Amino acid sequence: MTTTVTESELGRHLLTVRGFHFVLGALGDPFARLLNGEGDDAAALGAEIRRRGPLHRSELGAWVTADAGVAAALLAEPGLDTRHPDAGQDHVRENLWETWRTCHVTPAGGAPLTLPLAEYARLARLCDPVLGPRTAGAWRADVRGAVLPVLDRLGPRFDLVTDLVRPAVAAAVAKVLGVPVTAADLATPGVALDAVLCPPRLPVALELEEAIGRVRELARAQVAERAVEPRDDAVSALLATGYDRADVVEVCLLHLVAGAEIATGALTGAVEALLGRPGQWAALRRDPDLAARAVEETLRWAPPVRLVSRIAQRPLTVAGQEIEADDHVVILVDAANRDPSSGAGDFDLAGEPGPSLSLTGGGYESLVAPPARVIATEVLRAVAERLPGIEIDGPPLRRMRSPVARAVLKLPMAKGR
Amino acid sequence: MTMRVLLTAFAMDAHFNGMVPLAWALRTAGHEVRVASQPALTGSVTGAGLTAVPVGEDHRVEQVMAAAAPGVFALHQNADYLEGRTELLDRAFLEASTTMLTATFYSQINNDSMIDDLVGFARRWRPDLVIWEPFTFAGAIAAHVTGAAHARLLWGPDLFLKAYERFQELLAIEPEERRDDGLREWLTWTLARHGCAFSPEVVTGQWTIDQMPAGVRFELDQPLVPMRHIPYNGPLPAVVPPWSRTPPERPRVCVTQGMTARTTGFSGLDAVAELLEAVAELEVEVLATVAEGERLRPLPGNVRVVDSVPMHVALPDCAAVLHHGGAGTWSSAVFYGVPQLNLAWQWDDVYRGRRLEKLGAGIYLPPGPAREAAGVRDSLAHLLSESSFREGAARIREEMLDCPTPNEVVPTLEDLTAAHHRAPLSPSG
């Protein structure tokens, strides 16, 4: 961004994109309705998108797929990336009624969610020895130690999200990274996941930018301190690998913003799915070691990142469709994971795990996935052990305009027996 | 006391015309009057004998509507909305409607440069009263920022506010995290740009001047000043054509689709030539307004085609009028007590058409098979043969005449201005 965008300019842009989604939604476009993020049944819209073909062009101009095979191919397609090959990524000042660009709705409040995929790959290599797929498990005991006090504080009635999941996830990431964040620090930044494709309300967009600025500042301060005085945390370990401080700050920010939101989404989704199927919850109670399997099943059934947004870097032919360079492509991970043609069934801890595309594709979500999985698993295991009798005690309050995370803000619970 | 009165309507004649008689009344009562709009309306304002204040750049709502109109109309083809049963509308509809209209219409016709320039003019000129066309929120903003009293001047039943009030009721019972009101949000950041907080008055006005006859008015929980509609022909020169000086030999039927469709594509009539041929089969004389460049095949001898004719010249001699439902045509026909055959399909046009039918002053034909040429002809024959329609139209005309004229309304506006004005009255007062 060369000059500062005024609040009026940002507000008008967000309003215009929202207008686009409603206008095209009213004409029956299922992808536009999905992006409205309100009122519609996401699973039904995913099925409707699949009925329109393995890859079809939404009225919005984006290519969308809910087909398991095409989704897998697109997530592995090197001709797709997060950014426009030639143009800028910031469309706030464009006249959308001319450009129709609704691909990068906001700069995500400064969260690094649309870095080039090569950059995520580079940062993932940095993380590998400390927070990678093979190494993240080493933090298990630390996570458990941080999470148990949160569970032990709960009264007979509590809110799953605000009293349990968000404080537990915050305590866990704070412990692992060594960055002193609280649940309050991490509540708003997660909106960034949605804000790439769905415009937040202007006050939320402004709050998001501020909240991410605060988290970035916390990370920066901690990285500076650990560079001088290392401790037994991931920031110190990352610095010890010899990487640039700025890279370590960026990695921290990704784990704090995206990692925490993904762990939160996975946990909330797991509790909803398990308690909605009493036999499943009983199975986990009997064998808390099923927690990892339950997290994977939740990632498949109710992915915390449901939509993956890409831009074609060059002309591509996929599923018989000609995608032009610069076209917008969106993969519906949740719908693809439920594609019946790939044998997908209902949420079930028994038997072989179904195929899942969640947290693949090499974007921010792949980078933060390993510790997010560990955190979600350890929290779920602790809940199964310490709170075996919990019951859902009221309807969930879902976040508005949340088609990507489909985040739950509140879910009342009772501890039960 | 001499007031400074600023009237404002976004640049579209159909939305400005309804303000002109009141502007004249205020002027001849001795008040200073200015009419602000985008530059494109300047000719229409000066053509009405009023003083124009061009503000900002021209809006580009036509460009936006070229892309958005199909979706906007698709959503709003909702019978409960079109027929004013707003209590049946749900939150999803109202949220979609409010978001869509704010994004594609309100924030487009009130473009930022127009709003900012209007606020600047109001700061300099210090109006005592701002009267705004009900979608021209720029007027409310300028009044709110400068402390002037302000009122909406309606051209039709207040369907917009009725639906918005329903939306507010539904939002009030939602948890804070689930309230999503695009109109309020847009007005909030726009007012913040001028150092003010949002107030619901910016949506409702401090009071509302309503030109509908009582039977067609929505009663909302808002202060209301009824005012008689006075036909004003718009920017085209109003000239009495020679043929109109002799009375018609057969019942004259006026077929018109207003002027707005010629520039915006909305809303007009379908298949006009077929319609005219069918209507001409009756024992009538047809007076049809059809834009000059619009080629029609040869028509029967009892059809007179003109490019345009002032409605207040033509309607007093007409036995019926067949039209597209626009507010100007509808109101002028009511004013002259002419039974109406209404072919509206959008917005409050539908409500007015159906309401008049219910009140026995006309027939409304919904979109679909009823509008095929033969059906229109038969409905017109019915309208002409039943004297009850003319009696019904006369009753509604009486309701309109019961409303005080713009001249009679002026003292009320003076009192309300004195009561609501926050800034010191202008030095000339």
Side-chain angles (χ1 to χ4, degrees), chain A residues 35-322:
Chain A
L35 293 181
N36 287 347
E38 299 293 318
D40 285 309
D41 177 353
L45 291 174
E48 170 62 26
I49 286 170
R50 205 176 299 117
R51 267 196 294 280
R52 297 198 175 198
L55 179 68
H56 88 276
R57 192 153 205 187
S58 148
E59 295 288 332
L60 277 167
W63 294 97
V64 290
T65 183
D67 175 279
V70 175
L74 288 173
L75 285 168
E77 169 57 58
L80 296 177
D81 210 315
T82 58
R83 318 193 121 209
H84 297 285
D86 306 314
Q89 323 304 319
D90 179 2
H91 311 313
V92 172
R93 283 220 175 101
E94 286 174 11
N95 178 1
L96 287 192
W97 301 104
E98 271 166 24
T99 68
W100 282 64
R101 274 205 169 120
T102 55
C103 40
H104 303 90
V105 172
T106 72
L113 300 188
T114 55
L115 300 179
L117 294 182
E119 182 64 4
Y120 290 121
R122 186 182 73 80
L123 293 173
R125 284 194 295 279
L126 155 65
C127 287
D128 251 0
V130 183
L131 296 168
R134 280 173 306 277
T135 49
W139 302 96
R140 225 169 267 284
D142 291 280
V143 169
R144 188 171 170 84
V147 162
L148 290 181
V150 174
L151 269 58
D152 292 342
R153 278 200 302 270
L154 295 171
R157 300 183 112 72
F158 62 94
D159 188 275
L160 177 73
V161 182
T162 58
D163 298 329
L164 194 166
V165 170
R166 286 204 176 270
V169 168
V173 284
K175 174 68 185 168
V176 171
L177 293 173
V179 178
V181 287
T182 65
D185 291 324
L186 299 186
T188 304
V191 172
L193 274 61
D194 288 302
V196 174
L197 281 172
C198 177
R201 294 168 56 237
L202 177 66
V204 176
L206 299 173
E207 217 179 291
L208 175 64
E209 199 172 334
E210 237 184 80
I212 286 174
R214 275 199 305 275
V215 173
R216 187 186 281 277
E217 215 28 69
L218 283 171
R220 199 190 318 249
Q222 206 60 16
V223 168
E225 211 177 299
R226 291 289 162 266
V228 186
E229 193 189 326
R231 283 196 193 163
D232 188 17
D233 57 35
V235 164
S236 305
L238 288 166
L239 286 165
T241 62
Y243 271 87
D244 199 62
R245 276 192 210 181
D247 282 343
V248 179
V249 171
E250 216 62 6
V251 163
C252 279
L253 192 60
L254 281 162
H255 286 295
L256 291 167
V257 172
E261 190 69 9
I262 287 169
T264 300
L267 276 164
T268 316
V271 172
E272 275 194 292
L274 290 162
L275 290 179
R277 297 166 182 80
Q280 302 287 308
W281 178 249
L284 179 64
R285 272 173 65 170
R286 278 194 305 275
D287 179 9
D289 282 345
L290 275 176
R293 172 78 175 82
V295 167
E296 289 311 312
E297 186 62 355
T298 306
L299 294 179
R300 178 188 74 83
W301 177 252
V305 179
R306 293 176 183 241
L307 308 177
V308 171
S309 178
R310 294 285 183 261
I311 306 291
Q313 306 298 298
R314 54 172 187 267
L316 300 167
T317 305
V318 180
Q321 304 280 4
E322 304 291 325

Side-chain angles (χ1 to χ4, degrees), chain B residues 367-392:
Chain B
R371 286 198 184 170
E372 278 162 25
V376 172
R377 178 199 59 208
D378 295 346
S379 294
L380 184 61
H382 182 55
L383 190 71
L384 290 166
S385 64
E386 286 284 339
S387 62
S388 69
F389 287 111
R390 190 154 268 283
E391 290 155 20

Side-chain angles (χ1 to χ4, degrees), chain B residues 17 32 39 105 109 138 165 175 190 211 286 290 301 401 429:
Chain B
N17 293 341
E32 290 296 329
F105 189 57
I109 59 173
E165 283 189 348
T190 304
Q211 309 190 64
V286 180
V290 178
L401 296 181

Side-chain angles (χ1 to χ4, degrees), chain A residues 8 11-12 38 202 398 401, chain B residues 107 112 178 180 185 193:
Chain A
S8 292
R12 182 172 281 274
E38 299 293 318
L202 177 66
R398 295 188 188 276
R401 309 195 185 196
Chain B
S107 75
D112 287 354
R178 307 269 322 158
D180 200 338
E185 210 190 301
R193 194 162 75 230

Side-chain angles (χ1 to χ4, degrees), chain B residues 169-180:
Chain B
E169 281 168 27
L170 293 178
L171 287 181
I173 54 172
E174 289 276 345
E176 170 99 36
E177 298 92 333
R178 307 269 322 158
R179 292 184 197 161
D180 200 338

Side-chain angles (χ1 to χ4, degrees), chain A residues 1-13:
Chain A
M1 215 173 296
T2 46
T3 52
T4 316
V5 168
T6 66
E7 287 185 13
S8 292
E9 283 172 320
L10 180 58
R12 182 172 281 274
H13 173 76

